[in-house]
Amino acid sequence: MAEKLIVFDLDGTLLDTLEDIRGAINYALSAWSVPKVDKNKIREYVGHGLRNALFTALNKSGVQIPQEDLPLMVDLMLSCYRNHPSDHTRPYDGIVDMLSFLMDDGFQLGVISNKSQELVVRIIKDTLPSIRFEFIIGQCDQYPLKPDPESLLSMMERFSSDRNSTLFVGDSEVDYETAKNAGVKGIIVNYGFRTKKELEGKGIKDTVDDVPTLLERILAFYK
């Protein structure tokens, strides 16, 4: 019998990490006198990794800096984020109770994120210490980033979970494409980094408004 496997994105799905991401990006930008970006703008930039979020913020600012300075800016951002990865980061309301229920009910839980492996592991340890994840995959040499499905397909094989017993839960068009590319059911939430309107603009019509509804959708899939 196939294992019931639920794989979650991290940022914007399980955890509100925006304020700590914003702090690290603004710290790096300010070193080159680039105007800081607010929380709503950061929300638009995330989803493809911290480096891409930083470069998007820089490009949107209109400020030109020397190309040779870009690696230094990235290093400054990452150094700040490593020092303050979860100062303001918290699980969304109801997430801990939902994960605890699923864990106790025998579901296999995992996380796949485009954030670096080191940071994903540390942030989960800081913010979700009571939850047992069977695997945590962040940006690493072993797998390409989402929406490439290789990491998800690899975990499905590892846990003997087929396409009828695997769910991928996320909050963005990247996560939607990841589920689609892997051929599994995807559930996309709109309480995180993308609003319902933004997701609809990406062609994602059926989204989830809150954590209780998310749990209902998960349990309905496995009936």
PDB file of all heavy atoms in Angstrom, residues 95-123:
ATOM      1  N   ILE A  95      -1.305  26.333  11.809  1.00  0.00           N
ATOM      2  CA  ILE A  95      -0.378  25.421  11.136  1.00  0.00           C
ATOM      3  C   ILE A  95       0.153  24.347  12.080  1.00  0.00           C
ATOM      4  O   ILE A  95       0.198  23.155  11.730  1.00  0.00           O
ATOM      5  CB  ILE A  95       0.791  26.204  10.498  1.00  0.00           C
ATOM      6  CG1 ILE A  95       0.330  26.896   9.214  1.00  0.00           C
ATOM      7  CG2 ILE A  95       1.980  25.294  10.220  1.00  0.00           C
ATOM      8  CD1 ILE A  95      -0.018  25.963   8.077  1.00  0.00           C
ATOM      9  N   VAL A  96       0.560  24.730  13.270  1.00  0.00           N
ATOM     10  CA  VAL A  96       1.137  23.742  14.201  1.00  0.00           C
ATOM     11  C   VAL A  96       0.102  22.683  14.556  1.00  0.00           C
ATOM     12  O   VAL A  96       0.402  21.480  14.552  1.00  0.00           O
ATOM     13  CB  VAL A  96       1.676  24.435  15.470  1.00  0.00           C
ATOM     14  CG1 VAL A  96       2.110  23.389  16.504  1.00  0.00           C
ATOM     15  CG2 VAL A  96       2.847  25.348  15.129  1.00  0.00           C
ATOM     16  N   ASP A  97      -1.117  23.087  14.839  1.00  0.00           N
ATOM     17  CA  ASP A  97      -2.167  22.123  15.173  1.00  0.00           C
ATOM     18  C   ASP A  97      -2.461  21.209  13.983  1.00  0.00           C
ATOM     19  O   ASP A  97      -2.663  20.002  14.158  1.00  0.00           O
ATOM     20  CB  ASP A  97      -3.452  22.851  15.586  1.00  0.00           C
ATOM     21  CG  ASP A  97      -3.347  23.499  16.953  1.00  0.00           C
ATOM     22  OD1 ASP A  97      -2.430  23.131  17.717  1.00  0.00           O
ATOM     23  OD2 ASP A  97      -4.170  24.385  17.252  1.00  0.00           O
ATOM     24  N   MET A  98      -2.494  21.774  12.780  1.00  0.00           N
ATOM     25  CA  MET A  98      -2.760  20.957  11.599  1.00  0.00           C
ATOM     26  C   MET A  98      -1.658  19.932  11.374  1.00  0.00           C
ATOM     27  O   MET A  98      -1.930  18.742  11.148  1.00  0.00           O
ATOM     28  CB  MET A  98      -2.880  21.846  10.352  1.00  0.00           C
ATOM     29  CG  MET A  98      -3.211  21.053   9.091  1.00  0.00           C
ATOM     30  SD  MET A  98      -3.026  22.022   7.561  1.00  0.00           S
ATOM     31  CE  MET A  98      -1.220  22.058   7.422  1.00  0.00           C
ATOM     32  N   LEU A  99      -0.410  20.373  11.446  1.00  0.00           N
ATOM     33  CA  LEU A  99       0.707  19.451  11.231  1.00  0.00           C
ATOM     34  C   LEU A  99       0.753  18.372  12.309  1.00  0.00           C
ATOM     35  O   LEU A  99       1.045  17.202  12.016  1.00  0.00           O
ATOM     36  CB  LEU A  99       2.025  20.226  11.198  1.00  0.00           C
ATOM     37  CG  LEU A  99       2.227  21.182  10.009  1.00  0.00           C
ATOM     38  CD1 LEU A  99       3.528  21.967  10.184  1.00  0.00           C
ATOM     39  CD2 LEU A  99       2.244  20.416   8.689  1.00  0.00           C
ATOM     40  N   SER A 100       0.471  18.750  13.542  1.00  0.00           N
ATOM     41  CA  SER A 100       0.454  17.775  14.643  1.00  0.00           C
ATOM     42  C   SER A 100      -0.619  16.721  14.417  1.00  0.00           C
ATOM     43  O   SER A 100      -0.382  15.516  14.622  1.00  0.00           O
ATOM     44  CB  SER A 100       0.212  18.495  15.976  1.00  0.00           C
ATOM     45  OG  SER A 100       1.258  19.387  16.274  1.00  0.00           O
ATOM     46  N   PHE A 101      -1.787  17.158  13.988  1.00  0.00           N
ATOM     47  CA  PHE A 101      -2.876  16.226  13.692  1.00  0.00           C
ATOM     48  C   PHE A 101      -2.478  15.260  12.582  1.00  0.00           C
ATOM     49  O   PHE A 101      -2.680  14.035  12.704  1.00  0.00           O
ATOM     50  CB  PHE A 101      -4.129  17.005  13.294  1.00  0.00           C
ATOM     51  CG  PHE A 101      -5.258  16.131  12.819  1.00  0.00           C
ATOM     52  CD1 PHE A 101      -6.114  15.537  13.721  1.00  0.00           C
ATOM     53  CD2 PHE A 101      -5.440  15.894  11.455  1.00  0.00           C
ATOM     54  CE1 PHE A 101      -7.154  14.714  13.286  1.00  0.00           C
ATOM     55  CE2 PHE A 101      -6.470  15.081  11.009  1.00  0.00           C
ATOM     56  CZ  PHE A 101      -7.324  14.480  11.922  1.00  0.00           C
ATOM     57  N   LEU A 102      -1.928  15.770  11.496  1.00  0.00           N
ATOM     58  CA  LEU A 102      -1.544  14.921  10.369  1.00  0.00           C
ATOM     59  C   LEU A 102      -0.432  13.956  10.765  1.00  0.00           C
ATOM     60  O   LEU A 102      -0.452  12.783  10.381  1.00  0.00           O
ATOM     61  CB  LEU A 102      -1.095  15.796   9.200  1.00  0.00           C
ATOM     62  CG  LEU A 102      -2.189  16.656   8.553  1.00  0.00           C
ATOM     63  CD1 LEU A 102      -1.567  17.631   7.555  1.00  0.00           C
ATOM     64  CD2 LEU A 102      -3.241  15.791   7.868  1.00  0.00           C
ATOM     65  N   MET A 103       0.528  14.443  11.529  1.00  0.00           N
ATOM     66  CA  MET A 103       1.634  13.606  11.988  1.00  0.00           C
ATOM     67  C   MET A 103       1.110  12.464  12.858  1.00  0.00           C
ATOM     68  O   MET A 103       1.478  11.298  12.673  1.00  0.00           O
ATOM     69  CB  MET A 103       2.613  14.482  12.768  1.00  0.00           C
ATOM     70  CG  MET A 103       3.865  13.781  13.263  1.00  0.00           C
ATOM     71  SD  MET A 103       4.992  14.966  14.088  1.00  0.00           S
ATOM     72  CE  MET A 103       4.036  15.371  15.561  1.00  0.00           C
ATOM     73  N   ASP A 104       0.226  12.787  13.780  1.00  0.00           N
ATOM     74  CA  ASP A 104      -0.316  11.772  14.683  1.00  0.00           C
ATOM     75  C   ASP A 104      -1.226  10.786  13.960  1.00  0.00           C
ATOM     76  O   ASP A 104      -1.412   9.650  14.416  1.00  0.00           O
ATOM     77  CB  ASP A 104      -1.100  12.441  15.817  1.00  0.00           C
ATOM     78  CG  ASP A 104      -0.210  13.231  16.764  1.00  0.00           C
ATOM     79  OD1 ASP A 104       1.020  13.003  16.737  1.00  0.00           O
ATOM     80  OD2 ASP A 104      -0.733  14.088  17.495  1.00  0.00           O
ATOM     81  N   ASP A 105      -1.785  11.224  12.821  1.00  0.00           N
ATOM     82  CA  ASP A 105      -2.697  10.375  12.064  1.00  0.00           C
ATOM     83  C   ASP A 105      -1.971   9.486  11.062  1.00  0.00           C
ATOM     84  O   ASP A 105      -2.624   8.782  10.282  1.00  0.00           O
ATOM     85  CB  ASP A 105      -3.729  11.243  11.331  1.00  0.00           C
ATOM     86  CG  ASP A 105      -5.045  10.514  11.122  1.00  0.00           C
ATOM     87  OD1 ASP A 105      -5.457   9.752  12.016  1.00  0.00           O
ATOM     88  OD2 ASP A 105      -5.671  10.702  10.057  1.00  0.00           O
ATOM     89  N   GLY A 106      -0.654   9.530  11.079  1.00  0.00           N
ATOM     90  CA  GLY A 106       0.119   8.593  10.262  1.00  0.00           C
ATOM     91  C   GLY A 106       0.545   9.084   8.897  1.00  0.00           C
ATOM     92  O   GLY A 106       1.098   8.313   8.100  1.00  0.00           O
ATOM     93  N   PHE A 107       0.309  10.362   8.592  1.00  0.00           N
ATOM     94  CA  PHE A 107       0.770  10.911   7.318  1.00  0.00           C
ATOM     95  C   PHE A 107       2.281  11.118   7.353  1.00  0.00           C
ATOM     96  O   PHE A 107       2.850  11.450   8.390  1.00  0.00           O
ATOM     97  CB  PHE A 107       0.087  12.248   7.025  1.00  0.00           C
ATOM     98  CG  PHE A 107      -1.369  12.133   6.675  1.00  0.00           C
ATOM     99  CD1 PHE A 107      -2.341  12.144   7.662  1.00  0.00           C
ATOM    100  CD2 PHE A 107      -1.775  12.017   5.354  1.00  0.00           C
ATOM    101  CE1 PHE A 107      -3.687  12.042   7.341  1.00  0.00           C
ATOM    102  CE2 PHE A 107      -3.118  11.914   5.024  1.00  0.00           C
ATOM    103  CZ  PHE A 107      -4.072  11.920   6.021  1.00  0.00           C
ATOM    104  N   GLN A 108       2.919  10.929   6.203  1.00  0.00           N
ATOM    105  CA  GLN A 108       4.338  11.237   6.056  1.00  0.00           C
ATOM    106  C   GLN A 108       4.440  12.693   5.600  1.00  0.00           C
ATOM    107  O   GLN A 108       3.872  13.070   4.573  1.00  0.00           O
ATOM    108  CB  GLN A 108       4.988  10.326   5.020  1.00  0.00           C
ATOM    109  CG  GLN A 108       4.795   8.844   5.282  1.00  0.00           C
ATOM    110  CD  GLN A 108       5.462   8.398   6.571  1.00  0.00           C
ATOM    111  OE1 GLN A 108       6.646   8.630   6.782  1.00  0.00           O
ATOM    112  NE2 GLN A 108       4.691   7.743   7.428  1.00  0.00           N
ATOM    113  N   LEU A 109       5.173  13.510   6.348  1.00  0.00           N
ATOM    114  CA  LEU A 109       5.264  14.934   6.063  1.00  0.00           C
ATOM    115  C   LEU A 109       6.673  15.303   5.619  1.00  0.00           C
ATOM    116  O   LEU A 109       7.658  14.811   6.178  1.00  0.00           O
ATOM    117  CB  LEU A 109       4.897  15.763   7.302  1.00  0.00           C
ATOM    118  CG  LEU A 109       3.562  15.446   7.979  1.00  0.00           C
ATOM    119  CD1 LEU A 109       3.367  16.364   9.185  1.00  0.00           C
ATOM    120  CD2 LEU A 109       2.394  15.582   7.004  1.00  0.00           C
ATOM    121  N   GLY A 110       6.759  16.181   4.621  1.00  0.00           N
ATOM    122  CA  GLY A 110       8.052  16.643   4.152  1.00  0.00           C
ATOM    123  C   GLY A 110       7.989  18.090   3.722  1.00  0.00           C
ATOM    124  O   GLY A 110       6.910  18.663   3.559  1.00  0.00           O
ATOM    125  N   VAL A 111       9.158  18.697   3.543  1.00  0.00           N
ATOM    126  CA  VAL A 111       9.266  20.092   3.094  1.00  0.00           C
ATOM    127  C   VAL A 111      10.230  20.165   1.919  1.00  0.00           C
ATOM    128  O   VAL A 111      11.320  19.567   1.960  1.00  0.00           O
ATOM    129  CB  VAL A 111       9.768  21.012   4.232  1.00  0.00           C
ATOM    130  CG1 VAL A 111      10.133  22.398   3.696  1.00  0.00           C
ATOM    131  CG2 VAL A 111       8.729  21.140   5.332  1.00  0.00           C
ATOM    132  N   ILE A 112       9.831  20.883   0.881  1.00  0.00           N
ATOM    133  CA  ILE A 112      10.729  21.197  -0.229  1.00  0.00           C
ATOM    134  C   ILE A 112      10.663  22.697  -0.453  1.00  0.00           C
ATOM    135  O   ILE A 112       9.591  23.252  -0.711  1.00  0.00           O
ATOM    136  CB  ILE A 112      10.358  20.454  -1.523  1.00  0.00           C
ATOM    137  CG1 ILE A 112      10.497  18.942  -1.319  1.00  0.00           C
ATOM    138  CG2 ILE A 112      11.254  20.910  -2.676  1.00  0.00           C
ATOM    139  CD1 ILE A 112      10.111  18.112  -2.544  1.00  0.00           C
ATOM    140  N   SER A 113      11.803  23.363  -0.331  1.00  0.00           N
ATOM    141  CA  SER A 113      11.892  24.811  -0.431  1.00  0.00           C
ATOM    142  C   SER A 113      13.011  25.207  -1.386  1.00  0.00           C
ATOM    143  O   SER A 113      13.954  24.432  -1.596  1.00  0.00           O
ATOM    144  CB  SER A 113      12.165  25.406   0.962  1.00  0.00           C
ATOM    145  OG  SER A 113      12.481  26.775   0.899  1.00  0.00           O
ATOM    146  N   ASN A 114      12.918  26.404  -1.953  1.00  0.00           N
ATOM    147  CA  ASN A 114      14.003  26.939  -2.773  1.00  0.00           C
ATOM    148  C   ASN A 114      15.008  27.735  -1.954  1.00  0.00           C
ATOM    149  O   ASN A 114      15.958  28.282  -2.494  1.00  0.00           O
ATOM    150  CB  ASN A 114      13.444  27.818  -3.902  1.00  0.00           C
ATOM    151  CG  ASN A 114      12.924  26.989  -5.065  1.00  0.00           C
ATOM    152  OD1 ASN A 114      13.149  25.789  -5.143  1.00  0.00           O
ATOM    153  ND2 ASN A 114      12.212  27.635  -5.972  1.00  0.00           N
ATOM    154  N   LYS A 115      14.786  27.810  -0.649  1.00  0.00           N
ATOM    155  CA  LYS A 115      15.749  28.455   0.250  1.00  0.00           C
ATOM    156  C   LYS A 115      16.876  27.470   0.549  1.00  0.00           C
ATOM    157  O   LYS A 115      16.700  26.257   0.448  1.00  0.00           O
ATOM    158  CB  LYS A 115      15.024  28.858   1.534  1.00  0.00           C
ATOM    159  CG  LYS A 115      15.857  29.623   2.529  1.00  0.00           C
ATOM    160  CD  LYS A 115      14.976  30.112   3.670  1.00  0.00           C
ATOM    161  CE  LYS A 115      14.108  31.267   3.217  1.00  0.00           C
ATOM    162  NZ  LYS A 115      13.256  31.779   4.308  1.00  0.00           N
ATOM    163  N   SER A 116      18.048  27.969   0.926  1.00  0.00           N
ATOM    164  CA  SER A 116      19.199  27.085   1.140  1.00  0.00           C
ATOM    165  C   SER A 116      18.897  26.030   2.209  1.00  0.00           C
ATOM    166  O   SER A 116      18.180  26.294   3.180  1.00  0.00           O
ATOM    167  CB  SER A 116      20.435  27.886   1.543  1.00  0.00           C
ATOM    168  OG  SER A 116      20.353  28.304   2.889  1.00  0.00           O
ATOM    169  N   GLN A 117      19.458  24.862   2.006  1.00  0.00           N
ATOM    170  CA  GLN A 117      19.237  23.727   2.905  1.00  0.00           C
ATOM    171  C   GLN A 117      19.551  24.096   4.354  1.00  0.00           C
ATOM    172  O   GLN A 117      18.775  23.814   5.270  1.00  0.00           O
ATOM    173  CB  GLN A 117      20.106  22.550   2.462  1.00  0.00           C
ATOM    174  CG  GLN A 117      19.997  21.307   3.320  1.00  0.00           C
ATOM    175  CD  GLN A 117      18.775  20.462   3.003  1.00  0.00           C
ATOM    176  OE1 GLN A 117      18.209  20.585   1.930  1.00  0.00           O
ATOM    177  NE2 GLN A 117      18.393  19.615   3.921  1.00  0.00           N
ATOM    178  N   GLU A 118      20.668  24.738   4.550  1.00  0.00           N
ATOM    179  CA  GLU A 118      21.101  25.114   5.895  1.00  0.00           C
ATOM    180  C   GLU A 118      20.060  25.990   6.590  1.00  0.00           C
ATOM    181  O   GLU A 118      19.698  25.766   7.754  1.00  0.00           O
ATOM    182  CB  GLU A 118      22.433  25.869   5.801  1.00  0.00           C
ATOM    183  CG  GLU A 118      22.870  26.568   7.070  1.00  0.00           C
ATOM    184  CD  GLU A 118      23.881  27.675   6.818  1.00  0.00           C
ATOM    185  OE1 GLU A 118      24.314  27.860   5.663  1.00  0.00           O
ATOM    186  OE2 GLU A 118      24.218  28.364   7.797  1.00  0.00           O
ATOM    187  N   LEU A 119      19.547  26.964   5.859  1.00  0.00           N
ATOM    188  CA  LEU A 119      18.585  27.883   6.456  1.00  0.00           C
ATOM    189  C   LEU A 119      17.237  27.217   6.695  1.00  0.00           C
ATOM    190  O   LEU A 119      16.591  27.455   7.725  1.00  0.00           O
ATOM    191  CB  LEU A 119      18.410  29.106   5.553  1.00  0.00           C
ATOM    192  CG  LEU A 119      19.548  30.123   5.607  1.00  0.00           C
ATOM    193  CD1 LEU A 119      19.396  31.137   4.481  1.00  0.00           C
ATOM    194  CD2 LEU A 119      19.588  30.819   6.956  1.00  0.00           C
ATOM    195  N   VAL A 120      16.798  26.382   5.754  1.00  0.00           N
ATOM    196  CA  VAL A 120      15.508  25.709   5.910  1.00  0.00           C
ATOM    197  C   VAL A 120      15.505  24.841   7.170  1.00  0.00           C
ATOM    198  O   VAL A 120      14.573  24.883   7.977  1.00  0.00           O
ATOM    199  CB  VAL A 120      15.184  24.856   4.668  1.00  0.00           C
ATOM    200  CG1 VAL A 120      13.926  24.023   4.900  1.00  0.00           C
ATOM    201  CG2 VAL A 120      14.968  25.745   3.450  1.00  0.00           C
ATOM    202  N   VAL A 121      16.555  24.066   7.343  1.00  0.00           N
ATOM    203  CA  VAL A 121      16.656  23.184   8.508  1.00  0.00           C
ATOM    204  C   VAL A 121      16.651  24.002   9.801  1.00  0.00           C
ATOM    205  O   VAL A 121      15.950  23.677  10.767  1.00  0.00           O
ATOM    206  CB  VAL A 121      17.917  22.311   8.413  1.00  0.00           C
ATOM    207  CG1 VAL A 121      18.155  21.560   9.725  1.00  0.00           C
ATOM    208  CG2 VAL A 121      17.787  21.323   7.261  1.00  0.00           C
ATOM    209  N   ARG A 122      17.420  25.071   9.796  1.00  0.00           N
ATOM    210  CA  ARG A 122      17.526  25.889  11.014  1.00  0.00           C
ATOM    211  C   ARG A 122      16.210  26.584  11.346  1.00  0.00           C
ATOM    212  O   ARG A 122      15.780  26.610  12.503  1.00  0.00           O
ATOM    213  CB  ARG A 122      18.635  26.922  10.824  1.00  0.00           C
ATOM    214  CG  ARG A 122      18.876  27.779  12.045  1.00  0.00           C
ATOM    215  CD  ARG A 122      20.065  28.670  11.852  1.00  0.00           C
ATOM    216  NE  ARG A 122      20.134  29.702  12.866  1.00  0.00           N
ATOM    217  CZ  ARG A 122      20.921  30.763  12.808  1.00  0.00           C
ATOM    218  NH1 ARG A 122      21.708  30.927  11.769  1.00  0.00           N
ATOM    219  NH2 ARG A 122      20.923  31.664  13.769  1.00  0.00           N
ATOM    220  N   ILE A 123      15.556  27.142  10.336  1.00  0.00           N
ATOM    221  CA  ILE A 123      14.302  27.858  10.575  1.00  0.00           C
ATOM    222  C   ILE A 123      13.208  26.915  11.060  1.00  0.00           C
ATOM    223  O   ILE A 123      12.437  27.242  11.966  1.00  0.00           O
ATOM    224  CB  ILE A 123      13.873  28.608   9.298  1.00  0.00           C
ATOM    225  CG1 ILE A 123      14.833  29.770   9.036  1.00  0.00           C
ATOM    226  CG2 ILE A 123      12.445  29.115   9.417  1.00  0.00           C
ATOM    227  CD1 ILE A 123      14.687  30.402   7.674  1.00  0.00           C
TER     228      ILE A 123
END
